[in-house]
């Protein structure tokens, strides 16, 4: 209770403020609860390291520095791995740069426009 705070819903504008208060972020994806990686990208863009617990379906995140995909067979194993990661966590500038270069809204829009222009030219 002293180390975890449940904030509840916040406006989109406030999200970076809360992310930047975190030591590490957590993506609670499982094999039967997949989600868009946008939350992981937001965490990375703020220079945070991220822990995910899904062993499949998120392999593409391995290319991003600071993403830790962990496997477990008990809650105790999760706690041990999280503690180990926390002991060596630091600001993830490399992950932030990579996700900002490759996954920013500007980059996504540029790719969509390029695709539209390619289709139009055909």
């Amino acid at each position: 209770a002293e180390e975890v705070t449940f904030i509840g819903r916040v406006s989109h504008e406030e999200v970076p403020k809360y992310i930047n208060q975190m030591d590490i972020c957590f993506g609670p994806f499982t094999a039967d609860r997949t989600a868009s990686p946008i939350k992981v990208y937001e965490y990375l863009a703020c220079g945070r390291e991220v822990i995910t617990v899904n062993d499949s379906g998120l392999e593409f995140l391995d290319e991003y520095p600071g993403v830790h995909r962990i496997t477990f067979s008990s809650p105790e194993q999760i706690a041990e791995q999280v503690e180990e990661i926390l002991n060596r966590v630091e600001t993830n500038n490399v992950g932030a740069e990579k996700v900002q270069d490759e996954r920013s809204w500007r980059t996504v829009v540029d790719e969509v426009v390029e695709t539209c222009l390619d289709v139009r030219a055909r």
Side-chain angles (χ1 to χ4, degrees):
E2 298 105 31
E3 296 184 35
V4 176
T5 303
F6 293 95
I7 301 297
R9 290 189 177 271
V10 298
S11 69
H12 185 72
E13 293 78 26
E14 290 183 287
V15 170
K17 176 179 95 174
Y18 287 101
I19 292 173
N20 285 319
Q21 293 176 14
M22 299 179 199
D23 295 322
I24 198 158
C25 298
F26 189 69
F29 308 116
T30 62
D32 51 326
R33 186 192 176 277
T34 57
S36 163
I38 195 163
K39 187 155 303 297
V40 174
Y41 294 155
E42 287 177 332
Y43 295 155
L44 289 170
C46 289
R48 300 292 145 233
E49 294 195 23
V50 183
I51 295 173
T52 65
V53 295
N54 186 350
D55 193 40
S56 63
L58 297 174
E59 295 84 1
F60 65 94
L61 291 174
D62 291 344
E63 70 182 72
Y64 289 93
V67 174
H68 309 270
R69 286 190 314 124
I70 61 174
T71 58
F72 65 95
S73 59
S74 71
E76 293 78 21
Q77 279 189 325
I78 293 176
E80 288 171 13
Q81 291 180 67
V82 167
E83 189 171 340
E84 180 182 310
I85 293 166
L86 275 171
N87 286 332
R88 63 178 194 272
V89 73
E90 54 188 55
T91 302
N92 185 11
N93 294 323
V94 177
E97 288 176 24
K98 183 172 177 63
V99 79
Q100 289 167 9
D101 288 345
E102 297 178 6
R103 293 291 161 198
S104 70
W105 286 116
R106 170 56 40 209
T107 301
V108 171
V109 168
D110 288 347
E111 290 174 6
V112 169
V113 168
E114 187 176 322
T115 300
C116 290
L117 291 172
D118 287 347
V119 169
R120 185 175 172 206
R122 291 183 196 171

